[in-house]
Each structure stands twice: as C-alpha cells, then as structure tokens.
Amino acid sequence: MTVRDKNVVVIGGGLIGFSAAYQLLKRGMRVTLIERGSEVDASCSTGNAGMVVPSHFVPLAAPGMIWKGIRWMFDPESPFSIRPRPSWELISWGLKFYMAASPARVKRAMPVLRDLALRSRKIFSELSETEGFEFGLQKKGLLMLCKTRKALGHEAEIAATAKSLGVEAELLDAEAVLAKDPAIQMDVVGGVYFAQDCHLDPARFLGDLRSQVRQLGGVIRWGEEVKDFRQSSTKVKAAVLKSGDEISGDEFVICGGAWSPSVGKKLGLRLPMQAGKGYSVTHPNPPALPSICSLLNEARVAVTPMGGKLRIGGTMEIVGLDESVSRRRLNGILKSIGGYFPELAETDFSGLEVWKGLRPCSPDGMPYIGRAGGRENVVVATGHSMLGLSLAPVSGEMVADLITGAAMKYDMALLDPDRY
Ligand SMILES: Cc1cc2nc3c(=O)[nH]c(=O)nc-3n(C[C@H](O)[C@H](O)[C@H](O)COP(=O)(O)OP(=O)(O)OC[C@H]3O[C@@H](n4cnc5c(N)ncnc54)[C@H](O)[C@@H]3O)c2cc1C
C-alpha cells in the first residue's frame, strides 16, 4: 500500500484534530474525522485567547510553579485552583507534575517548545496567504505587562533566557510600553515585548480548517462518539461508535483533547491528563481597543484584540471534566482589567456571554505526540494544555510526518505518548 492509499481515522474535531486532518489530506490520504459534538460546539478550540506564542518556551511544570499554585489555591479569585478530590489520577498527575518541574527537565524542554512554536508560526504565516484561509493573523508581537517591580524582575530573567534561546524579547520601562501600543492607555511599571508572537481569531481558523477538510474530500462525522475499537494485539482495525457503527481505517489518530485518556484507555494507553478549565468573554465594541495582544502578568489574564472585538480570558481550574462556570473565578479575570488598562472597566465585560474550555493538560506541560501503545497504526496528538492553538499547525504536520514515515525533526522522547 502506498501512503496515498491510506485511509486515516481522526478522533476529535478540535484545532488539533482538524489540523491533522488538513495536513493528511494535503498529502493525498483519505480522512474520516469523528467528532461527538455538533458543528456549533467546539470544545476548547474557539473561545481561547488566539495567541501564537513562541515566547511560551517554559513548560507549565516549572520550578516555583508548585508553591505559586499552593498560594493561589487559598484565593477564590486567583488564576489557578485545584478542587481537592479523592482521585488517584489527580494525585498521580500532581506527583508527575512535581517530578517534571526540575531545572534539568525544563532546560531540555525549552528548545523543543521554542522550535515547535516557531515552526507553527511559519505554517500560520503560510496559511494566512493561502486561498480559503482568512483568520486575521496579526504578526504584531505580544506585550507581557507588569504592575509590580517583582514581576518585572522575573520577566527580565525570562527575557534573558528567551534571548539566549534565539527568541526575540525586549525589556521595556513604562514609557516604552506605552510607545509600543499608543492605541490604548496602560498603567504598568514595565513589561517585555515578544516580537515573534502573533494573534488571530481561533474560531475563524477552525472554521477555515473545517471548510478546507471538506473541500479536500475529508468525511466529517459530527455527533458520533468513539466508544471502543476493534483490534488485534498489534493493530487497530476499526473505531466502534456509540451507535454501534464501525469506521475502519489503516491509521487511527487520537486528538480527543481533555477526553483523550478515556479514548486511549480502550487501547491500553496511559495518557495522564487533567482538564484545566478556563473562561473568556468577548466585547463586541469595547470602549478602548489595544492593537497588540497582551498578558497581564500578575493576574495571568490574556487580552486579545480580534478585529474590532476584544477578548479577555484566563484562569486554570483543575476540577475534573466539570464544565460549569465559576462566577468567582470569572470575576477574578474581569476585576484585573481596569488595573492595567484604565480605559476599560470590569463592568464593561460583566454582562457578556461566558465561554469556557477544558485545556488538555499533561503533567509535564509537554504535548503527547507520537505513535503509541505498541500498535503499529495508532498516533496520538493531544495534551497541549495552554498551547493548543499555538502548536496546532505543527502538530498536524507531525501527525502527517509520522504516518508517511518522514524523519522527525524534534526530540520526540519528550513528546512520547508512552512516556508514563
Ligand atoms: C481560556 C483559554 C485560553 C486559551 N488561550 C490559548 C492561546 O491563546 N493560545 C494557545 O495556543 N492555546 C490557548 N488555549 C488552549 C487551547 O485552546 C487548547 O489547548 C486547544 O483548544 C486544545 O485543542 P484540542 O483539539 O486538543 O482539544 P478540543 O478543542 O477540546 O477538541 C477535542 C475534541 O475531541 C472530541 N472528542 C473527545 N472524545 C471523543 C470521542 N470519544 N469521540 C469523538 N469525539 C471525541 C471532543 O468533543 C472535542 O471536540 C486556551 C485555552 C483556554 C481555556
């Protein structure tokens, strides 16, 4: 069988699943994508902050994060919380996070995250000039805004590390921050400007991917849930749907986001994962609009202009697969905005529709990408945590490389889905 004759089944229709489907179709393969939601649902992939961030080369599991997390847990409006519950999975995930948050591990992970993000940025840039894609890519950089000297000092260290890794970073005082984005007033002590970061409209990008997948002949099965697999000890033969239908294929790609562990379990895969819930609200006509996206450092809030709209989002709640909205955490996000942008107030955003998404968080902050479970025809691409939009194009490309047998360009051991 040539690669072009391959029939690939992709499970999950978020940014990762559709990016994989697109790249596979572009290489001439046949693709069926199975998504249990409808065309109007989109899990974690539409209301996110839309940032493409080569600046985020430090994985979530990093030294200092554990103590910061513990301190935040006692504040109901803080940007991070874990709901303690008697769950072995949660305890085991926490221990793995702790083990991964070592300087040596982070040092090894940083160049990998940098390379993945820069490759993704390049693909985004190429796609933005490709017919059928119009997702508002803005290559204007990102401002990391700090209100305190302490935070600015920490960001200065990150900026120095960024430069040593070849990621552009410029340390700014308050005046220089204002000069970077004269479109809006800011009340900060300084910040860091990451010139290679970009922003875009993730819902439009996902919409473009969906149309392209359809146009290239991909079959999309909306409203169908994969419940099991027909398999031998070496190979998967078919995905078995809740309806009882079977979808056979030559290759199977698991891109189920925060729900991937239960899909993988049917194949004997162990994909430790916690869902990291976050929220966003989007103002259709804000009183003031920055032109550059920013991160409010102390508040851990993302602020992104999208066309004439303004999105603010944040928080990371580890509360299982519970999708309810915590008003207190949301208030924590909204309250922070006026402190950094005096022309914007909490009340500007308080009546708006709230979007929520479950980030698929691996314990070491690295995605799971690779062949898995000793099966010759299973590929996993999930666990992207806070970087699923940033890394979607490169993840799709890696899935296609794995299936076509192309040489891999990254340290795949760090991404190995069988690493736990
Ligand atoms: C507030 C917030 C802000 C964010 N901002 C950014 C940002 O600025 N930049 C960035 O890079 N990332 C950001 N992220 C993270 C990013 O949104 C996620 O990492 C990304 O959307 C994950 O995509 P995914 O395709 O893996 O998962 P999802 O979008 O969750 O898609 C997985 C899909 O699989 C389907 N599925 C699961 N199980 C089955 C099954 N058994 N059968 C069929 N279908 C199944 C689900 O229904 C779902 O649609 C943010 C996240 C949040 C919450």
Side-chain angles (χ1 to χ4, degrees), residues 12 16 35-36 43-45 48-49 51 226 385-390:
I16 306 299
E35 166 55 51
R36 63 177 189 180
S43 296
C44 198
S45 289
N48 63 54
M51 296 177 179
V226 173
S385 189
M386 304 158 74
L387 299 174
L389 169 70
S390 277

Side-chain angles (χ1 to χ4, degrees), residues 10-18 34-37 41-53 206 221 224-227 241 255-260 262-263 276-280 302 304 312-315 333 355-360 381-392:
V10 176
I11 301 161
L15 281 163
I16 306 299
F18 269 102
I34 308 169
E35 166 55 51
R36 63 177 189 180
D41 311 325
S43 296
C44 198
S45 289
T46 51
N48 63 54
M51 296 177 179
V52 177
V53 279
L206 185 64
R221 305 269 308 238
E224 303 272 20
E225 184 170 354
V226 173
K227 283 306 249 184
L241 305 182
C255 308
W259 300 269
S260 300
S262 57
V263 180
K277 187 165 52 176
Y279 308 111
S280 73
T304 314
I312 62 174
T315 253
I333 298 174
W355 173 88
K356 78 244 176 242
L358 299 181
R359 304 174 185 90
T382 188
H384 294 74
S385 189
M386 304 158 74
L387 299 174
L389 169 70
S390 277
L391 303 186

Side-chain angles (χ1 to χ4, degrees), residues 5-28:
D5 297 325
K6 279 195 173 175
N7 183 6
V8 186
V9 177
V10 176
I11 301 161
L15 281 163
I16 306 299
F18 269 102
S19 296
Y22 174 72
Q23 296 278 353
L24 291 161
L25 287 159
K26 286 300 268 186
R27 299 212 199 168

Side-chain angles (χ1 to χ4, degrees), residues 309-373:
K309 298 180 283 181
L310 184 62
R311 177 166 296 169
I312 62 174
T315 253
M316 171 81 92
E317 285 182 280
I318 308 281
V319 289
L321 295 169
D322 166 11
E323 292 188 70
S324 62
V325 174
S326 156
R327 281 279 149 194
R328 286 211 287 197
R329 299 276 162 204
L330 182 68
N331 287 345
I333 298 174
L334 304 185
K335 266 188 188 169
S336 65
I337 189 90
Y340 294 78
F341 296 105
E343 292 158 286
L344 299 172
E346 179 187 353
T347 46
D348 294 329
F349 295 86
S350 45
L352 299 171
E353 192 185 337
V354 182
W355 173 88
K356 78 244 176 242
L358 299 181
R359 304 174 185 90
C361 300
S362 67
D364 57 6
M366 301 298 279
Y368 296 113
I369 304 176
R371 290 217 174 262

Side-chain angles (χ1 to χ4, degrees), residues 107-157:
K107 195 170 171 204
R108 191 174 157 203
M110 289 193 306
V112 178
L113 287 178
R114 172 203 59 195
D115 291 349
L116 292 175
L118 287 174
R119 175 65 194 148
S120 246
R121 182 186 193 273
K122 187 155 192 296
I123 304 174
F124 271 123
S125 189
E126 286 162 6
L127 289 178
S128 71
E129 283 163 23
T130 304
E131 207 187 317
F133 285 93
E134 209 174 313
F135 49 89
L137 180 68
Q138 300 291 323
K139 294 189 217 164
K140 292 184 175 175
L142 173 146
L143 279 169
M144 173 66 75
L145 300 176
C146 301
K147 282 205 70 80
T148 60
R149 294 262 157 230
K150 190 175 170 206
L152 190 59
H154 176 69
E155 285 308 317
E157 285 170 26

